[in-house]
Amino acid sequence: MSTPQVLAKGWEQIKPVDAGWTYVSFAVKVLAPGETLELLANDQERALVPLSGVAEATAAGASWTFGGRQSVFDGLGHCLYLPRDTAVTVTATTALELAVAEAPATEKHEPVLVTPDDIGIELRGGGNASRQVGSLMLPDFPADRLHVVEVWTPGGNWSSYPPHKHEHDVEGESELEETYYYRLRDPENGWAVQRVYSPERDFELIQTVRDGELLLIPWGYHTTVAAHGHDLYYLNVLAGPAPERTLQAFQDPCLRGTQDAWEAEGIDSRLPFIPRHPST
């Protein structure tokens, strides 16, 4: 298995053979208006998330038109879930950035289109560890292994805090491979800092991350902080071997107590700062 690492902007797609793991594949496809993307039927279930633009997808005798935001900071996302053994043709109605997440599936479920109206506007944390979460595919979603979550963090705030890990299938924790795909509201100048660490492996990664980069987390505690003045988004994809769908995480016991003050501090007053739908 590989170690946690950040892939610089310019990566194209990550498959398990590239990441040194078993389950998660991830890509971002950029299509011009009218251009099509063909994905063949195989043993992978898929989640299609427009980062910007509008997509039309045809699969399993049905079609869906979805997306519509101009950037990930304009509104909550859409997600089209497609089960294994399903070929799909995606046509860009407008200029389109499309995230494609995949994981091997044993069970075949039904296609599902998740829209912003299906998503709760969830605020997590407290104080300067406050962030906004849009859960596209949680454990109760009718899929096999894939989980997909959008997270927005205001500039200066911590995210995925307290640090936690998805490393072992034990009581209170699940084994999950995980990717973070970063976007910054200011893509030219924005940045954040990512930490992944594992005391038991004597491993430490602390790295500046920028717009369009991708983090691979096969193991280890992880947390992210957005630079002051630079709002951060990341698309979080997880999948693993657990027989039941779960996102159980084990928090770093040294920092778990930091959330005890959140109730008194309250949620950052800037939140929520992403509307359900793009403003007109």
Side-chain angles (χ1 to χ4, degrees), residues 27-234:
V28 174
K29 303 294 185 179
V30 178
L31 304 179
E35 191 174 358
T36 61
L37 171 68
E38 302 277 353
L39 299 174
L40 301 179
N42 55 25
D43 66 350
Q44 305 285 302
E45 60 183 355
R46 297 184 173 110
L48 308 181
V49 180
L51 303 168
S52 64
V54 179
E56 182 176 338
T58 302
S63 62
W64 304 264
T65 300
F66 58 110
R69 55 187 175 180
Q70 293 190 10
S71 85
V72 295
F73 295 97
D74 287 344
L76 305 187
H78 290 71
C79 177
L80 177 62
Y81 169 78
L82 296 172
R84 60 166 293 157
D85 304 320
T86 303
V88 59
T89 300
V90 180
T91 302
T93 302
T94 67
L96 176 68
E97 295 177 288
L98 183 71
V100 181
E102 298 179 324
T106 54
E107 297 182 1
K108 186 172 182 178
H109 298 267
E110 295 298 319
V112 177
L113 176 62
V114 179
T115 76
D117 291 325
D118 301 317
I119 302 168
I121 294 180
E122 181 182 358
L123 306 182
R124 292 185 189 174
N128 72 339
S130 304
R131 60 274 194 191
Q132 180 175 344
V133 178
S135 298
L136 298 170
M137 291 176 57
L138 282 177
D140 61 355
F141 189 92
D144 201 5
R145 285 194 171 93
L146 270 179
H147 301 81
V148 183
V149 180
E150 294 187 303
V151 181
W152 295 268
T153 308
N157 281 14
W158 290 83
S159 199
S160 294
Y161 202 92
H164 62 276
K165 63 187 181 78
H166 309 274
E167 193 167 333
H168 305 293
D169 273 324
V170 295
E171 183 67 28
E173 184 180 358
S174 55
E175 180 184 349
L176 293 165
E177 301 164 358
E178 188 168 6
T179 59
Y180 279 24
Y181 174 66
Y182 308 100
R183 300 302 295 264
L184 277 298
R185 191 187 290 272
D186 180 350
E188 296 300 320
N189 303 302
W191 54 281
V193 174
Q194 179 69 52
R195 185 186 185 203
V196 185
Y197 61 100
S198 174
E200 65 185 273
R201 292 180 170 85
D202 193 27
F203 178 86
E204 180 82 56
L205 170 71
I206 301 176
Q207 187 168 337
T208 301
V209 294
R210 301 183 185 277
D211 187 81
E213 297 187 338
L214 182 71
L215 171 68
L216 309 181
I217 316 174
W219 42 258
Y221 296 105
H222 46 281
T223 186
T224 317
V225 60
H228 176 77
H230 290 295
D231 297 336
L232 171 71
Y233 163 94
Y234 55 85

